[in-house]
Amino acid sequence: MVSGGEHWQHEYRFARADGSHAHVLHRAFLVRDDGGAAVRMVGAMTDISQRVEAQQRLNRLQGELIHVSRVSAMGTMASALAHELNQPLTGIANYVSGARRLLEARGADALEDVLPALSLAADEVNNVGEMIRRLRRMVAHGRADVQPVALGRLVHDALSLAIPNPALAQVEIAVDLAPGKVDADPVQLQQVLVNLIRNATEAMEHAPTRRLRIWSTAEGDRHRVRVSDTGGGLSDEVAAGLFSAFRSTKENGMGVGLTICRTIIESHRGTIGVEETSPAGTTMFFVLPLSRAEP
């Protein structure tokens, strides 16, 4: 609602005679006489139901597109994640099997050796559970839940999803985040980070040096996050259209990942783009407002 002084403007739902409701934009202004006294108010009501319904449909479709993109990203990571789940599960089986053999051979006398093995098995169970929880959060479909988000844990989880085993991927990772929180939906922001990290890793597939760096800086009331790689860089033409729909640098890519990222960041009142690119690598960035909950 906008009101005060001589003018008044408000949007609200209006009950029709048939019981349905319309969305109405009501504008009015005061009319004064020669002495300055208010004598009447003149206004008009405009039915904006179609515009409101169209925006609601667009919001729903946008949410569906973001969700489908998230599920698609998880599909491409499935084999690596299956390998990562297999490792702790194999460890659990080995610890429990070893503990059972000790108990069968020595009975109660083996407790001193069995308890550490069971403790290690429990640790692996917790690791598997946390990995599954991260997957569920990533794939979960729900309404945006904007809240103060600390980037540290979010970056850690995104790295675990995008690069489950840095040693196997032969990627050197450096993270340096400035303090402070941003107002964001953590699942959607994680989706952006996973996408940028995966793109950076794939860009370094044939690079002699594979170094991924994630860092952030506070700039007034905003937070700038950067993701850089040491790949071969982007051409000016590709960089200019990188966030356009159906423009992909990958042979089998659909070209919607970065478009979704832009949609998410802009819906959080932020910006995203290419900060720098050269034959030595590319730096992507996004900027979000600092959380209002921050002092």
Side-chain angles (χ1 to χ4, degrees), residues 2 28 34 39 46 58 80 99 116 125 159 177 196 213 221 248 258 279:
V2 179
D34 294 340
V39 293
T46 305
L58 180 61
V125 170
L159 283 168
L177 301 172
L196 295 181
R213 185 184 176 203
D221 61 349
S248 177
L258 289 176

Side-chain angles (χ1 to χ4, degrees), residues 42-204:
V42 177
M45 297 172 62
T46 305
D47 189 337
I48 58 171
S49 300
Q50 289 186 345
R51 188 185 77 186
V52 171
E53 290 167 4
Q55 184 61 48
Q56 290 173 345
R57 285 195 299 271
L58 180 61
N59 291 341
R60 286 195 298 270
L61 289 172
Q62 190 177 82
E64 291 293 333
L65 185 58
I66 289 172
H67 174 63
V68 169
S69 170
R70 190 155 60 239
V71 174
S72 175
M74 293 308 301
T76 62
M77 293 186 285
S79 59
L81 290 167
H83 175 71
E84 289 306 305
L85 285 171
N86 186 59
Q87 286 182 327
L89 289 174
T90 302
I92 293 167
N94 290 338
Y95 291 134
V96 173
S97 178
R100 185 187 64 188
R101 287 196 300 269
L102 287 172
L103 289 171
E104 288 174 346
R106 294 162 47 194
D109 293 337
L111 284 177
E112 185 175 344
D113 295 323
V114 167
L115 290 177
L118 292 179
S119 177
L120 290 171
D123 290 341
E124 293 294 348
V125 170
N126 290 332
N127 290 338
V128 171
E130 178 58 28
M131 192 173 297
I132 292 172
R133 281 190 291 272
R134 285 200 295 265
L135 289 172
R136 290 185 65 184
R137 286 197 298 267
M138 181 73 176
V139 180
H141 186 198
R143 297 180 60 184
D145 179 19
V146 177
Q147 57 187 271
V149 177
L151 288 171
R153 179 60 185 271
L154 213 58
V155 169
H156 171 76
D157 286 353
L159 283 168
S160 298
L161 288 170
I163 314 177
N165 193 327
L168 188 64
Q170 298 181 322
V171 176
E172 177 187 341
I173 299 173
V175 178
D176 183 16
L177 301 172
K181 297 180 179 180
V182 295
D183 283 327
D185 178 283
V187 174
Q188 291 190 3
L189 189 53
Q190 185 183 68
Q191 182 178 356
V192 173
L193 286 165
V194 167
N195 202 310
L196 295 181
I197 292 168
R198 287 182 57 235
N199 286 351
T201 305
E202 291 172 4
M204 297 186 290

